[in-house]
Each structure stands twice: as structure tokens, then as C-alpha cells.
């Protein structure tokens, strides 16, 4: 079995699919690490947090209408820039033909893989309290945070189970990478998940920087934004599942 993982798409689905086809070739499924921005129409794009100059409908309406298709079914989590009001109202499931929203957190079995996932990024105000503050529609940024209940739900669903692939938007803390050569990056809560779940592969995006490192037995693969990658492997990771159950990054 062969899979592709794509970095932050930010509504550029035609470009993302072209990169997958060129770098990965035929695959059984595609996984998105968040900030896909699958806006089916302009109204949904208005629910994406961020300055208006960065908010766009993109080309997803063509995919939603069946006028274009991806090279394989795409499974996505949410980042901090998504049409979250619409995604939350819809819930996990088929978002459009060939596109599947995994949800806020949990575990799913997809094409032979046991996949754990956590949408969103960390906020001390929202992610730490056992009962997080209510999300207010007037502050779209708050939709993009994960909460302790989301993390707890993921841990309950995965307890005692082998995890092949962990998908998060943000990076785990403790990596050697330094942003601009100085600042450490990553989230302690997500690092806790890497350590607790011990997945074969942990993929993430958010920083728009390509980076690989190994944490224990886990290969951590950080991917760049679709429009920022200078080489195909910056933005697309190719994963292979061997007959003996080993999941590993393969050459494109």
C-alpha cells in the first residue's frame, strides 16, 4: 500500500494534486495535515480565520461539484485556518466527493492504516482548562484551537492500540529545528501524544517548513505549504506500508 501526505494546501487543490501526481504517483489515499481550506463556496470562506487579504475561496468548488478529482481519496484534519463553522456543523464524514473530514480528534482505520489525529493548534487559554471557554463566532481564531477534551478523546480511543500514523497540524516540541536559527518550535501537548502513542510515523504542517527527525521509534515528517516548497519532498511525503506492517517514508 502506498500513500501521500500533503502539507498545508491553503485552497490550492489543483496545485496540490499536481504535486502528488508528479512526486508520489499512484497512491491508495492522500492525507492532509490541516490548513487545507476546502471552501465549497464564498460563504464558507468567510468562516476562515485570518486577515481578509489572505482569505480566498480557492479552486475547491470545482472539486466539490465533481468537475475535478484528486488522484486518490483525501482525508483531512483541520488546522487553524479552515472554514471551521461549517466543518463543525457538518462533523466528521464526507465533506465533498472524494474528500473526508476526519474530525476534531480520534482514530480511524483507513486503507489498512490505523490513523490517530488531532486538529487545530495550541492555545494556553483554550487547550489547558478541563472545560474550555465557549467559542464565539465573532472571534474566528478561537475555532482553530484544540482543547483538553479533544486530547482526552484521542487518548481514550487509542488506549492499548497500535498506531501506524499520527496526523497533527502543529509540530511536537523537542525537535532540534530552530526557527530562523533561534526559536524552538512545537507543542508540549502534541509531543506528549507522540511519546504516548508511539506511532510509526507522525506527520504535521503549520510552520510551512520541511523537516525530518526521529523521536524514539517514530519518524516525524514536517511538511511545507504547497506554494512554498522548493522541492517535491518539501511538501509531499510518500509512505509505504509493507506486507509485514511496517510504515515508512519512501522515495517519490
Amino acid at each position: 500500500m502506498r500513500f501521500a501526505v500533503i502539507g498545508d494546501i491553503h485552497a490550492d487543490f489543483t496545485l496540490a494534486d499536481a504535486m502528488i501526481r508528479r512526486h508520489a504517483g499512484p497512491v491508495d489515499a492522500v492525507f492532509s495535515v490541516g490548513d487545507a481550506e476546502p471552501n465549497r463556496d464564498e460563504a464558507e470562506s468567510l468562516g476562515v480565520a485570518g486577515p481578509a487579504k489572505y482569505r480566498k475561496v480557492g479552486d475547491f468548488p470545482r472539486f466539490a461539484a465533481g468537475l475535478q478529482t484528486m488522484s486518490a481519496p483525501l482525508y483531512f484534519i483541520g488546522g487553524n485556518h479552515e472554514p471551521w463553522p461549517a466543518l463543525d456543523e457538518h462533523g466528521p464524514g464526507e465533506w465533498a466527493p472524494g474528500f473526508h473530514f476526519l474530525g476534531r480528534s480520534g482514530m480511524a482505520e483507513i486503507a489498512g492504516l490505523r490513523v490517530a489525529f488531532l486538529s487545530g493548534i495550541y492555545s494556553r487559554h483554550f487547550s489547558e482548562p478541563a472545560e474550555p471557554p465557549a467559542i464565539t463566532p465573532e472571534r474566528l481564531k478561537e475555532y482553530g484551537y484544540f482543547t483538553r477534551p479533544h486530547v482526552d478523546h484521542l487518548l481514550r480511543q487509542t488506549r492499548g492500540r497500535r498506531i501506524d500514523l499520527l496526523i497533527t497540524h502543529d509540530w511536537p516540541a523537542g525537535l532540534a529545528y530552530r526557527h530562523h536559527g533561534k526559536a524552538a518550535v512545537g507543542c508540549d501537548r502534541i509531543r506528549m501524544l507522540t511519546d504516548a502513542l508511539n506511532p510509526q510515523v507522525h506527520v504535521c504542517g503549520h510552520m510551512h517548513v520541511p523537516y525530518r527527525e526521529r523521536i524514539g521509534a517514530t519518524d516525524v515528517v514536517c511538511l511545507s505549504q504547497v506554494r512554498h516548497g522548493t522541492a517535491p519532498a518539501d511538501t509531499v511525503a510518500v509512505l509505504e506500508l509493507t506486507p509485514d506492517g511496517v510504515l515508512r517514508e519512501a522515495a517519490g
Side-chain angles (χ1 to χ4, degrees):
M1 303 288 284
R2 189 173 170 93
F3 309 92
V5 185
I6 187 78
D8 297 18
I9 297 173
H10 286 297
D12 290 319
F13 285 86
T14 300
L15 178 58
D17 190 52
M19 296 182 75
I20 292 166
R21 291 175 188 269
R22 184 169 65 248
H23 183 57
V27 294
D28 296 285
V30 177
F31 298 99
S32 162
V33 298
D35 278 3
E37 296 189 52
N39 302 304
R40 295 175 296 191
D41 52 39
E42 185 174 4
E44 289 182 353
S45 75
L46 297 178
V48 178
K53 65 180 179 179
Y54 296 123
R55 192 180 297 132
K56 60 182 180 181
V57 178
D59 57 11
F60 191 72
R62 293 186 55 82
F63 290 86
L67 301 176
Q68 287 182 246
T69 58
M70 296 287 287
S71 55
L74 185 143
Y75 298 85
F76 66 98
I77 65 165
N80 53 311
H81 298 290
E82 305 288 6
W84 271 119
L87 283 173
D88 277 345
E89 182 178 1
H90 179 276
E94 187 177 63
W95 178 247
F99 293 83
H100 308 271
F101 176 46
L102 291 175
R104 286 280 186 173
S105 69
M107 189 194 75
E109 295 196 18
I110 300 168
L113 291 182
R114 187 165 288 172
V115 181
F117 56 91
L118 176 68
S119 293
I121 61 172
Y122 178 84
S123 163
R124 181 174 59 84
H125 185 55
F126 273 82
S127 302
E128 293 298 340
E131 296 186 8
I135 295 174
T136 59
E138 296 79 14
R139 298 177 62 184
L140 290 174
K141 187 176 182 180
E142 295 170 351
Y143 281 93
Y145 300 136
F146 65 77
T147 66
R148 185 184 294 186
H150 294 144
V151 174
D152 290 345
H153 174 70
L154 172 55
L155 292 173
R156 284 194 303 271
Q157 286 217 326
T158 56
R159 185 175 294 124
R161 300 188 177 188
R162 184 202 78 249
I163 299 301
D164 297 311
L165 180 64
L166 172 62
I167 307 174
T168 63
H169 187 55
D170 206 354
W171 296 22
L175 300 179
Y177 175 80
R178 294 293 180 268
H179 197 49
H180 299 305
K182 298 179 181 179
V185 300
C187 169
D188 289 333
R189 282 275 180 180
I190 291 178
R191 175 57 184 263
M192 178 274 292
L193 291 175
T194 312
D195 293 336
L197 303 182
N198 193 31
Q200 296 193 68
V201 181
H202 179 175
V203 293
C204 49
H206 185 52
M207 295 294 296
H208 299 175
V209 173
Y211 184 73
R212 266 80 165 171
E213 189 173 320
R214 194 165 176 85
I215 297 177
T218 299
D219 289 320
V220 179
V221 179
C222 311
L223 296 170
S224 182
Q225 179 183 354
V226 164
R227 286 200 174 273
H228 287 185
T230 57
D234 290 353
T235 303
V236 180
V238 183
L239 304 180
E240 287 184 344
L241 181 66
T242 66
D244 57 354
V246 175
L247 183 68
R248 63 193 178 195
E249 188 171 8

